[in-house]
Amino acid sequence: MALKYHQQIISDLLEDSNGGLVILSSGLSLAKLIASLLILHSPSQGTLLLLLSPAAQSLKSRIIHYISSLDSPTPTEITADLPANQRYSLYTSGSPFFITPRILIVDLLTQRIPVSALAGIFILNAHSISETSTEAFIIRIVKSLNGSAYIRAFSDRPQAMVSGFAKTERTMRALFLRKIHLWPRFQLDVSQELEREPPEVVDIRVSMSNYMVGIQKAIIEVMDACLKEMKKTNKVDVDDLTVESGLFKSFDEIVRRQLDPIWHTLGKRTKQLVSDLKTLRKLLDYLVRYDAVSFLKFLDTLRVSESYRSVWLFAESSYKIFDFAKKRVYRLVKASDVKSKEHVKNKSGKKRNSKGETDSVEAVGGETATNVATGVVVEEVLEEAPKWKVLREILEETQEERLKQAFSEEDNSDNNGIVLVACKDERSCMQLEDCITNNPQKVMREEWEMYLLSKIELRSMQTPQKKKQKTPKGFGILDGVVPVTTIQNSEGSSVGRQEHEALMAAASSIRKLGKTTDMASGNNNPEPHVDKASCTKGKAKKDLTSLQRSLRSCNKKTANSKPEILPGPENEEKANEASTSAPQEANAVRPSGAKKLPPVHFYALESDQPILDILKPSVIIVYHPDMGFVRELEVYKAENPLRKLKVYFIFYDESTEVQKFEASIRRENEAFESLIRQKSSMIIPVDQDGLCMGSNSSTEFPASSTQNSLTRKAGGRKEVEKETQVIVDMREFMSSLPNVLHQKGMKIIPVTLEVGDYILSPSICVERKSIQDLFQSFTSGRLFHQVEMMSRYYRIPVLLIEFSQDKSFSFQSSSDISDDVTPYNIISKLSLLVLHSPRLRLLWSRSLHATAEIFTTLKSNQDEPDETRAIRVGVPSEEGIIENDIRAENYNTSAVEFLRRLPGVSDANYRSIMEKCKSLAELASLPVETLAELMGGHKVAKSLREFLDAKYPTLL
């Protein structure tokens, strides 16, 4: 039974035969709504229903899952692999189909789809629609051929619908829609239904450690400093530059949208500030998501990759970030202090070794005996994430409640005992699973060992360079092998050198310990072949990767444990099978006094799968809070009111995690409030039948029509315009230019072209390049080949360089253009390209509409292109050379290239020579007078004749 607000939405859509735009809050089960509408469609009516597939496949997979769960036929997907005749038979079957916009627009233009039998189109990503998108192109053609077909568009991203000027109104006009249906979370019907039987919620606020609080405070201070620096540029709207807005990915889009038109005029510092804000947002996210060692490893990566160009690293508070991150993992102590404690630790060494938990401080102490000169050694801190302990306590509490219910003999038929832990990504799921299975301190120890071994690996990769250098080296994160930068130079002091040597000593001891343990495990346990092979490989080749694997496998064998947790979505049978064995397994790896745990499933939020309907858990632990997943929990409980559900939310108290979660809810509510205001003042043009006229209604009657015609010419009668046509390559339908050309009244003929992207006339061939594609084509060398092919088969080859409308109409600022030709400068590359192909014409277009105007001008006084000829250009054939054909075999490329390199032959005369001479042998037999007529001068003809008549020098 569908939710009541879903039934209301469906009834609203069915009342309007033209369709409508539906915008829901995130997490309100958009996939179930679309699935319910598809089930109502009857294929027996002989009408076709198409669903335009979104870029994200998760929504499509959810729709298929919900339909199949109701034992209804699921929609199939039409791909480009299906031949045209098979696609036509599918279109006439009347079933619903998933199809990509690119395939659908080509089939519409080639008339392979029966538009008259089309019932309607579902658009699943309305927030990404614009006037120039392929979806708008499809709707315009469908409405022109079948006005009765309905259009139903859906979106669960209200924030994206309010970005830009009148985004919702322009989207509705592009889709020929008049009605918009808004369903926010605070809508009365939605809130009443979701709050009627709410789940039991436990909100747990976990205090961050002092070092975590210090790191978060330092990151926010650095972010605030970067924002103040950006405000000084006076290039960005100050209202958008807040720390709260900087927590979201949309902040990058807002800043880039404002800076794109003047991006080429900005200095390097301002551009770097935009990149730094993105890096700082990642740091805030990783601080609360990952463990201390992984966070430190990420900081080390940033220190190397961004040290010489980053702005935030030179901020006043950036030192605190690195310092506190190190203190969470290790600290430096004097070697004398460790040696004084060494005797006490050695007494318990055998006992600890038998448990497989060798203290690395003891190993470091042993290393200190041979490295007394360093003066300091590394002592582990390995601060655990505060949430780990809370998660373990929740699981133990859940198991205790489960046992109490079993003793009290309550009715638990709906309670399957499954606990679901929702994390942000797969890496967090795997690490939490390891923490539940093993000791958390052991997990941190393994991460620490991998961290140290990675430092040895980095140093070993640079060893060959060390031998070549004879000058003294600095001491940085890579032991001075790379050129010393400013940040690394700051570590060149005695303190940084001692810290680096202490870390290397600890890493060496870990490597020796890993080899010893690995060899011992290989001798004692000869049966596991995988571990034995990895140990042999580590011994023979000293491969650190295999050493890391062997260390991890040896640690797991020492603990004598097996992972009982089932990560990701598993079926219920596996969950039930694991319910009996999991507690005993978990108890085996815990210290004395540990409690049993219930079966736990880990779910990565980024996978976006219908995990709740698959597992039907009774306890859900939201480890990383997410607004969309919280709404899914509410919907799940509303659909299952009799099922008991307990939800734990784990937040870091006074953290950006809480701030981001609350801000996401507030931003969505503000977006819906803006949409409600826009709905009240929205203007949608309609025709006399009450149907929407679309976004191009104002351009259908240009100003140069009746009112501007001269009455002296046939009484102002408008001349009958000839239909112009453009041959377009199939691959070009990924762009919006064919849509704009169709708006201009041109007939689009989609074919597969071997040469060029657009054929405007029998002599004009255009290769279109966006700015990004232009740089990539120069790098790969593909552009030179494309220009050469166009020059070979067409009289006027054209390279169209198309800029984006919202970006600057310039490659670079004038100050960056040098006088010399450099191999890495884009202007130099274009100059060399034009020198290599003198007949090539360059077109610079400011936008898509400017390109359409240029094409219209170029096609004036030109014949229409021939489709059959354009398809055959450059295509290899098995028939050999055919008279008056233009395929690849009719051109002897080697002979043409040889001709163009002869003395006196230039780009101005080689084509006239080819027209008069059928072969090089005929050319060699021509007299000077005939050559002078062909080549346009007696001097160049004489130079060619002398070259052909020159005798070959011999030694005899």
Side-chain angles (χ1 to χ4, degrees), residues 797-850:
V798 178
L799 175 62
L800 170 67
I801 302 175
E802 189 176 82
F803 288 76
S804 179
Q805 188 170 1
D806 56 349
K807 293 187 179 181
S808 171
F809 189 44
S810 173
F811 273 131
Q812 52 197 139
S813 59
S814 57
S815 59
D816 295 335
I817 301 177
S818 60
D819 298 331
D820 299 329
V821 175
T822 58
Y824 302 107
N825 192 299
I826 186 65
I827 301 298
S828 300
K829 291 180 179 180
L830 280 173
S831 303
L832 293 174
L833 180 65
V834 173
L835 288 174
H836 180 74
S837 304
R839 290 190 300 110
L840 179 66
R841 300 294 181 260
L842 295 183
L843 290 180
W844 303 84
S845 175
R846 184 182 294 273
S847 64
L848 294 170
H849 297 279

XYZ file of all heavy atoms in Angstrom, residues 797-850:
435
model
N 38.178 23.483 -44.668
C 38.132 22.888 -43.320
C 38.052 23.985 -42.268
O 38.746 25.003 -42.350
C 39.453 22.111 -43.235
C 40.371 22.839 -44.161
C 39.529 23.427 -45.260
N 37.217 23.780 -41.267
C 36.965 24.798 -40.244
C 37.152 24.175 -38.867
O 36.625 23.089 -38.590
C 35.535 25.386 -40.368
C 35.281 26.395 -39.255
C 35.336 26.025 -41.733
N 37.889 24.865 -38.008
C 38.023 24.485 -36.597
C 37.229 25.494 -35.774
O 37.584 26.677 -35.719
C 39.487 24.468 -36.169
C 39.743 24.207 -34.675
C 39.217 22.840 -34.266
C 41.223 24.337 -34.332
N 36.153 25.028 -35.148
C 35.303 25.880 -34.328
C 35.727 25.747 -32.863
O 35.655 24.661 -32.285
C 33.831 25.480 -34.491
C 32.842 26.131 -33.527
C 32.734 27.623 -33.789
C 31.473 25.472 -33.621
N 36.153 26.840 -32.269
C 36.527 26.879 -30.859
C 35.391 27.562 -30.117
O 35.161 28.763 -30.283
C 37.862 27.628 -30.654
C 38.964 26.945 -31.467
C 38.225 27.670 -29.177
C 40.279 27.675 -31.429
N 34.674 26.777 -29.323
C 33.435 27.252 -28.707
C 33.645 27.465 -27.204
O 34.051 26.553 -26.481
C 32.322 26.230 -28.945
C 30.943 26.711 -28.547
C 29.885 25.683 -28.915
O 29.705 24.724 -28.149
O 29.265 25.839 -29.978
N 33.353 28.666 -26.763
C 33.442 29.011 -25.351
C 32.079 28.819 -24.693
O 31.050 28.792 -25.363
C 33.896 30.459 -25.177
C 35.339 30.691 -25.508
C 35.769 30.740 -26.832
C 36.276 30.859 -24.513
C 37.087 30.950 -27.147
C 37.608 31.065 -24.819
C 38.022 31.113 -26.130
N 32.097 28.723 -23.374
C 30.851 28.644 -22.625
C 30.305 30.045 -22.414
O 31.050 31.012 -22.263
C 31.082 27.958 -21.282
O 29.896 27.890 -20.537
N 28.966 30.145 -22.417
C 28.329 31.460 -22.354
C 28.611 32.169 -21.028
O 28.702 33.391 -20.985
C 26.815 31.314 -22.554
C 26.088 32.640 -22.693
C 24.649 32.441 -23.136
O 24.219 31.306 -23.319
N 23.919 33.516 -23.302
N 28.748 31.420 -19.948
C 28.941 32.028 -18.636
C 30.406 32.146 -18.248
O 30.716 32.414 -17.089
C 28.206 31.216 -17.561
C 28.636 29.764 -17.561
O 29.325 29.357 -18.512
O 28.265 29.036 -16.620
N 31.314 31.957 -19.214
C 32.732 32.076 -18.931
C 33.350 33.144 -19.817
O 32.740 33.625 -20.768
C 33.452 30.727 -19.132
C 33.034 29.673 -18.126
C 33.887 28.424 -18.245
C 33.471 27.388 -17.209
N 34.290 26.169 -17.283
N 34.574 33.481 -19.487
C 35.259 34.544 -20.212
C 35.543 34.117 -21.650
O 35.914 32.976 -21.915
C 36.563 34.894 -19.498
O 37.343 35.756 -20.281
N 35.395 35.089 -22.574
C 35.660 34.829 -23.985
C 37.146 35.076 -24.255
O 37.529 35.922 -25.058
C 34.775 35.729 -24.846
C 34.816 35.396 -26.320
C 34.756 34.084 -26.748
C 34.905 36.388 -27.268
C 34.793 33.770 -28.087
C 34.934 36.088 -28.617
C 34.882 34.786 -29.023
N 37.978 34.316 -23.549
C 39.417 34.503 -23.660
C 40.119 33.275 -23.105
O 39.679 32.688 -22.123
C 39.859 35.760 -22.901
O 41.256 35.871 -22.874
N 41.240 32.905 -23.755
C 42.051 31.802 -23.243
C 42.782 32.210 -21.969
O 42.796 31.510 -20.984
C 43.102 31.399 -24.284
C 42.598 30.399 -25.275
C 42.784 30.592 -26.623
C 41.937 29.271 -24.856
C 42.324 29.669 -27.530
C 41.480 28.342 -25.757
C 41.669 28.551 -27.110
N 43.418 33.357 -22.024
C 44.281 33.804 -20.957
C 44.362 35.322 -21.018
O 43.944 35.944 -21.994
C 45.672 33.179 -21.108
C 46.274 33.385 -22.474
C 47.428 32.467 -22.777
O 47.559 31.950 -23.860
N 48.304 32.248 -21.817
N 44.880 35.915 -19.984
C 45.037 37.360 -19.980
C 46.142 37.764 -20.950
O 47.038 36.979 -21.273
C 45.363 37.853 -18.566
O 46.553 37.255 -18.100
N 46.078 38.993 -21.412
C 47.038 39.456 -22.415
C 48.462 39.453 -21.881
O 49.422 39.308 -22.641
C 46.654 40.863 -22.876
O 46.586 41.746 -21.764
N 48.619 39.599 -20.573
C 49.967 39.611 -20.001
C 50.635 38.240 -20.053
O 51.861 38.148 -19.990
C 49.915 40.103 -18.548
O 49.076 39.255 -17.776
N 49.819 37.172 -20.174
C 50.375 35.816 -20.199
C 50.807 35.375 -21.590
O 51.410 34.317 -21.748
C 49.362 34.808 -19.644
C 49.068 35.040 -18.180
O 49.922 35.617 -17.501
O 47.972 34.645 -17.720
N 50.480 36.155 -22.617
C 50.833 35.794 -23.991
C 52.263 36.244 -24.255
O 52.587 37.429 -24.163
C 49.862 36.444 -24.994
C 48.424 36.001 -24.703
C 50.255 36.090 -26.419
C 47.395 36.637 -25.598
N 53.123 35.309 -24.594
C 54.536 35.615 -24.828
C 54.798 35.812 -26.310
O 54.003 35.410 -27.169
C 55.411 34.492 -24.271
O 55.100 33.269 -24.911
N 55.938 36.410 -26.612
C 56.325 36.648 -28.011
C 56.928 35.414 -28.661
O 56.882 35.269 -29.881
C 57.327 37.810 -28.082
C 56.723 39.112 -27.573
O 55.487 39.257 -27.694
O 57.465 39.963 -27.050
N 57.490 34.533 -27.850
C 58.161 33.355 -28.387
C 57.195 32.176 -28.477
O 56.194 32.106 -27.764
C 59.352 32.972 -27.504
C 60.382 34.084 -27.431
O 60.496 34.827 -28.430
O 61.047 34.219 -26.385
N 57.537 31.248 -29.351
C 56.752 30.022 -29.494
C 57.257 29.018 -28.466
O 58.434 28.646 -28.469
C 56.879 29.440 -30.912
C 56.161 28.105 -31.010
C 56.327 30.418 -31.938
N 56.359 28.611 -27.576
C 56.701 27.632 -26.541
C 55.844 26.399 -26.716
O 54.664 26.501 -27.094
C 56.489 28.220 -25.133
O 55.125 28.640 -25.014
C 57.411 29.404 -24.899
N 56.379 25.209 -26.444
C 55.622 23.977 -26.718
C 54.425 23.771 -25.804
O 53.565 22.960 -26.110
C 56.663 22.865 -26.509
C 57.695 23.477 -25.619
C 57.740 24.926 -25.961
N 54.342 24.500 -24.675
C 53.246 24.287 -23.730
C 52.194 25.387 -23.795
O 51.206 25.325 -23.086
C 53.795 24.189 -22.305
C 54.806 23.091 -22.127
C 56.163 23.370 -21.985
C 54.422 21.749 -22.139
C 57.096 22.353 -21.838
C 55.342 20.731 -21.998
C 56.679 21.037 -21.850
O 57.602 20.021 -21.718
N 52.388 26.385 -24.630
C 51.445 27.496 -24.729
C 50.379 27.169 -25.764
O 50.686 26.749 -26.884
C 52.186 28.786 -25.105
C 51.314 30.012 -24.937
O 50.280 30.127 -25.576
N 51.739 30.923 -24.073
N 49.112 27.386 -25.417
C 48.019 27.036 -26.325
C 48.023 27.926 -27.565
O 47.715 27.463 -28.665
C 46.670 27.129 -25.572
C 45.526 26.622 -26.434
C 46.410 28.549 -25.094
C 45.598 25.166 -26.760
N 48.406 29.189 -27.422
C 48.459 30.085 -28.583
C 49.556 29.626 -29.546
O 49.381 29.641 -30.771
C 48.692 31.537 -28.124
C 47.567 31.988 -27.180
C 48.762 32.466 -29.323
C 46.205 32.006 -27.807
N 50.678 29.186 -28.996
C 51.762 28.685 -29.849
C 51.330 27.429 -30.597
O 51.642 27.254 -31.788
C 52.996 28.385 -28.996
O 53.453 29.540 -28.328
N 50.595 26.556 -29.932
C 50.124 25.334 -30.592
C 49.157 25.666 -31.722
O 49.205 25.056 -32.801
C 49.456 24.425 -29.564
C 50.407 23.824 -28.547
C 49.668 22.923 -27.567
C 50.609 22.298 -26.554
N 49.903 21.420 -25.599
N 48.262 26.621 -31.490
C 47.338 27.016 -32.555
C 48.087 27.626 -33.735
O 47.739 27.396 -34.901
C 46.309 28.011 -32.003
C 45.137 27.437 -31.215
C 44.306 28.547 -30.595
C 44.252 26.579 -32.108
N 49.113 28.417 -33.450
C 49.899 29.024 -34.535
C 50.583 27.959 -35.374
O 50.586 28.024 -36.616
C 50.927 29.990 -33.938
O 50.293 30.976 -33.143
N 51.162 26.970 -34.721
C 51.818 25.887 -35.457
C 50.812 25.080 -36.268
O 51.114 24.619 -37.371
C 52.559 24.979 -34.476
C 53.753 25.599 -33.753
C 54.300 24.652 -32.699
C 54.850 25.961 -34.752
N 49.602 24.909 -35.722
C 48.573 24.174 -36.450
C 48.169 24.898 -37.729
O 48.013 24.284 -38.790
C 47.354 23.969 -35.549
C 46.166 23.217 -36.154
C 46.557 21.779 -36.476
C 44.979 23.238 -35.207
N 48.018 26.215 -37.634
C 47.637 27.002 -38.815
C 48.766 27.025 -39.837
O 48.532 26.973 -41.056
C 47.238 28.434 -38.388
C 46.999 29.305 -39.604
C 45.993 28.393 -37.521
N 50.030 27.089 -39.368
C 51.158 27.049 -40.302
C 51.231 25.706 -41.010
O 51.587 25.630 -42.195
C 52.465 27.306 -39.536
C 52.688 28.743 -39.049
C 53.932 28.815 -38.182
C 52.815 29.694 -40.229
N 50.874 24.634 -40.315
C 50.914 23.296 -40.903
C 49.777 23.092 -41.906
O 49.950 22.390 -42.905
C 50.822 22.245 -39.793
C 50.858 20.844 -40.287
N 52.011 20.239 -40.749
C 49.873 19.906 -40.415
C 51.739 19.007 -41.133
N 50.460 18.774 -40.934
N 48.621 23.703 -41.651
C 47.453 23.587 -42.547
C 46.989 24.991 -42.917
O 46.110 25.555 -42.244
C 46.327 22.813 -41.865
O 46.767 21.544 -41.442
N 47.539 25.575 -43.970
C 47.202 26.975 -44.301
C 45.744 27.178 -44.692
O 45.219 28.285 -44.527
C 48.137 27.282 -45.480
C 49.225 26.261 -45.405
C 48.591 25.043 -44.843
N 45.074 26.151 -45.203
C 43.672 26.321 -45.607
C 42.712 26.226 -44.431
O 41.503 26.434 -44.611
C 43.304 25.268 -46.656
C 43.995 25.507 -47.992
C 43.443 24.611 -49.078
N 43.597 23.199 -48.766
C 42.596 22.375 -48.472
N 41.356 22.829 -48.413
N 42.823 21.093 -48.218
N 43.196 25.891 -43.255
C 42.330 25.766 -42.090
C 41.807 27.132 -41.659
O 42.555 28.107 -41.582
C 43.101 25.122 -40.936
C 42.341 24.945 -39.620
C 41.204 23.955 -39.778
C 43.271 24.514 -38.499
N 40.519 27.196 -41.382
C 39.894 28.427 -40.902
C 39.513 28.247 -39.427
O 38.933 27.220 -39.058
C 38.645 28.755 -41.725
C 38.914 28.947 -43.211
C 39.769 30.198 -43.455
N 40.011 30.411 -44.875
C 41.141 30.074 -45.487
N 42.103 29.464 -44.791
N 41.304 30.309 -46.762
N 39.812 29.230 -38.620
C 39.475 29.205 -37.202
C 38.246 30.063 -36.955
O 38.190 31.219 -37.395
C 40.635 29.717 -36.348
C 41.924 28.900 -36.338
C 42.929 29.517 -35.386
C 41.657 27.469 -35.946
N 37.267 29.508 -36.251
C 36.080 30.242 -35.840
C 36.049 30.312 -34.319
O 36.175 29.290 -33.643
C 34.801 29.564 -36.347
C 34.533 29.620 -37.849
C 33.235 28.901 -38.170
C 34.462 31.049 -38.341
N 35.867 31.515 -33.805
C 35.793 31.730 -32.359
C 34.352 32.067 -32.016
O 33.802 33.055 -32.495
C 36.722 32.857 -31.931
C 38.146 32.634 -32.317
C 38.722 32.912 -33.526
C 39.174 32.081 -31.509
N 40.052 32.559 -33.512
C 40.357 32.050 -32.284
C 39.218 31.604 -30.202
C 41.564 31.566 -31.797
C 40.434 31.132 -29.713
C 41.585 31.111 -30.507
N 33.758 31.245 -31.174
C 32.348 31.437 -30.827
C 32.225 31.698 -29.339
O 32.799 30.984 -28.519
C 31.531 30.200 -31.220
O 30.197 30.338 -30.794
N 31.429 32.708 -29.008
C 31.246 33.077 -27.609
C 30.303 32.131 -26.889
O 30.436 31.905 -25.686
C 30.708 34.508 -27.533
C 30.561 35.048 -26.128
C 29.987 36.449 -26.151
N 30.895 37.381 -26.774
C 31.860 38.026 -26.118
N 32.028 37.822 -24.834
N 32.646 38.863 -26.751
N 29.326 31.557 -27.609
C 28.331 30.703 -26.970
C 27.697 29.811 -28.028
O 28.014 29.879 -29.220
C 27.259 31.554 -26.271
O 26.546 32.319 -27.225
N 26.760 28.962 -27.584
C 26.040 28.082 -28.507
C 25.222 28.873 -29.498
O 25.175 28.548 -30.697
C 25.137 27.144 -27.701
C 25.811 26.124 -26.790
C 24.779 25.465 -25.887
C 26.531 25.065 -27.609
N 24.538 29.915 -29.026
C 23.700 30.717 -29.917
C 24.554 31.483 -30.925
O 24.131 31.674 -32.071
C 22.842 31.675 -29.090
C 21.876 30.971 -28.178
N 20.670 30.471 -28.632
C 21.943 30.675 -26.853
C 20.028 29.893 -27.615
N 20.773 30.008 -26.526
N 25.737 31.929 -30.506
C 26.631 32.585 -31.456
C 27.095 31.601 -32.528
O 27.220 31.967 -33.710
C 27.824 33.170 -30.713
